[in-house]
Amino acid sequence: MAKEAPLPPIDPPLEMSTAEMDVDPSAPAPQSPVPAPPTSPGPSRPAPRSSPRPAHPPLLAEVASRKTVYLIRHGVSRHNHHNIALTSPSLWDASLDTVGLHQAVAIGARYRHCIGEMYANKDRSMKPLELIVSSPLTRCLETAHLAFSMGCPLPPPPIDRKEYADLKKLARSEGKSTVKIPAPQNHPAAPPKFVCNDDLREAHGVFFPDRRREVSKLEPAFPNVEFVGFKSDEDDLWDAEQRESLPEVNRRISSFFEWLAKRPEKNIAVITHGVWMEECLRRFAPSALKGGHRVLNGEVFKADCAIQIRETAAGEPVNGPLVIKKATCFTALSHAGDNERGVRVAALQRDM
């Protein structure tokens, strides 16, 4: 006798809130939403992680503009150690420890080395960064500063043999014993623009390392950073009794990518946190976290992004949100102990 097919899942009861139905943190995000059975009573079950995304008009195209975004988790901080009491006020906005400082420098050194190698071989597939966007927490600002504040000096391209022969011939005709080679052009050494966006912060509440300092104290400490989108000087979002939920983190992810879509820069580094990055990758590129991969301190993911073109009610095309089309682990610079990931994710799951 054939085995009967399993019954479809029962929809959530009416009294459940949207936040309670949004996300199952223990399950990976599906590639596409699963529709609720048409005969199921009550409201349809929303697809996992879909409700934080705002409603958009119909999609027309996905290549209004392409951006390359390097998602970077900050280096090891003073709270990224075993047996650390994350509720201790002494860890308020914890800074990088010695390992984290070295990781931040290594991120920038490896990036500049990659750029230099590619440009020396006339490979322009990887371009210098135009914009650095950081979380307002000190460990991210320190990582961004140590990795990228010196800019990306590029080596001159290899000298063309024919060009060199022509210059040599010209020098001899002028009676000169040396050949003057023109200075290389379009090799920027200036640092990119630094911006701090509050949407990039870690899930907040309860844990003191995720409580930011006042903007008025951060600005003089990081004078080359422009602080945007802050509603108050003090951290009004941090709650000593309640943790921010994963759906709320997803809403901030949506808000950030909407903001980034309006920026003119094409090559961008984003320095943020573990929970933020993992939620972002699960949502847009779950294959990047296959096999239980966790985002470690100092880890870099390269994300190929596109701005979607959508149609308004009047039939006019408009730029929609920026979405990640593909993400891969670019380089792993740290394999340090990461016990706070499990502590934080467990706390988020309890608060949902």
Side-chain angles (χ1 to χ4, degrees):
M1 181 174 179
K3 187 179 294 185
E4 292 184 0
L7 292 174
I10 300 175
D11 284 331
L14 291 172
E15 62 269 21
M16 288 183 68
S17 66
T18 305
E20 290 172 323
M21 297 188 294
D22 278 336
V23 179
D24 176 11
S26 63
Q31 294 292 335
S32 60
V34 179
T39 59
S40 177
S44 298
R45 180 190 296 275
R49 308 187 190 282
S50 63
S51 60
R53 308 181 196 182
H56 292 293
L59 174 66
L60 297 181
E62 290 187 331
V63 197
S65 176
R66 291 200 176 275
K67 297 177 187 280
T68 299
V69 179
Y70 295 92
L71 297 172
I72 304 171
R73 187 185 174 193
H74 61 81
V76 174
S77 177
R78 292 189 298 113
H79 70 291
N80 295 135
H81 296 276
H82 293 281
N83 301 320
I84 293 293
L86 299 178
T87 54
S88 171
S90 65
L91 292 174
W92 187 333
D93 191 18
S95 58
L96 297 177
D97 66 6
T98 304
V99 174
L101 294 172
H102 284 283
Q103 285 177 325
V105 173
I107 289 171
R110 179 152 186 167
Y111 169 75
R112 287 185 291 274
H113 175 75
C114 290
I115 287 281
E117 287 287 313
M118 288 184 172
Y119 269 66
N121 295 317
K122 296 185 177 181
D123 182 352
R124 299 297 186 267
S125 60
M126 185 176 181
K127 295 180 172 57
L129 293 171
E130 304 166 77
L131 176 67
I132 311 295
V133 194
S134 173
S135 155
L137 296 178
T138 296
R139 54 192 182 272
C140 286
L141 289 165
E142 289 176 334
T143 301
H145 173 75
L146 291 171
F148 303 114
S149 62
M150 67 179 295
C152 187
L154 300 178
I159 299 172
D160 185 88
R161 289 190 175 186
K162 183 179 183 306
E163 181 183 4
Y164 178 72
D166 292 341
L167 290 172
K168 189 176 180 180
K169 183 177 180 181
L170 178 63
R172 285 176 176 174
S173 67
E174 295 176 349
K176 298 177 181 178
S177 59
T178 58
V179 178
K180 184 177 180 181
I181 299 175
Q185 302 295 316
N186 300 322
H187 291 274
K193 184 178 181 61
F194 278 70
V195 175
C196 182
N197 189 304
D198 204 26
D199 283 332
L200 287 175
R201 66 182 299 173
E202 184 61 295
H204 49 74
V206 183
F207 300 148
F208 271 90
D210 303 328
R211 184 176 184 179
R212 72 163 171 83
R213 285 188 286 164
E214 296 89 340
V215 175
S216 58
K217 292 182 179 179
L218 292 171
E219 286 177 330
F222 301 94
N224 62 327
V225 177
E226 177 187 357
F227 290 79
V228 299
F230 291 85
K231 298 179 180 179
S232 62
D233 183 45
E234 295 184 353
D235 189 357
D236 295 337
L237 298 176
W238 191 85
D239 189 329
E241 303 295 331
Q242 186 174 357
R243 233 7 222 166
E244 184 184 27
S245 67
L246 289 178
E248 291 168 333
V249 173
N250 272 272
R251 277 187 279 272
R252 287 197 286 107
I253 292 172
S254 295
S255 174
F256 172 74
F257 277 105
E258 288 176 2
W259 174 84
L260 197 60
K262 299 174 184 177
R263 299 286 309 192
E265 297 86 0
K266 304 294 184 185
N267 298 282
I268 303 154
V270 172
I271 295 83
T272 182
H273 304 267
V275 169
W276 199 101
M277 281 183 64
E278 289 176 358
E279 284 302 297
C280 178
L281 292 172
R282 285 194 189 105
R283 173 171 163 181
F284 291 110
S287 61
L289 298 178
K290 276 185 177 178
H293 185 98
R294 307 305 299 269
V295 178
L296 301 180
N297 293 101
E299 207 161 34
V300 181
F301 283 78
K302 181 182 178 182
D304 298 322
C305 305
I307 297 177
Q308 297 179 334
I309 301 178
R310 297 180 179 273
E311 188 178 78
T312 65
E316 296 293 330
V318 294
N319 283 352
L322 184 73
V323 295
I324 296 176
K325 305 304 296 179
K326 179 183 178 182
T328 55
C329 186
F330 184 68
T331 174
L333 301 179
S334 168
H335 296 283
D338 198 25
N339 67 306
E340 42 80 50
R341 291 260 40 73
V343 174
R344 291 173 176 229
V345 171
L348 287 167
Q349 292 174 356
R350 287 196 304 268
D351 293 338
M352 286 183 59

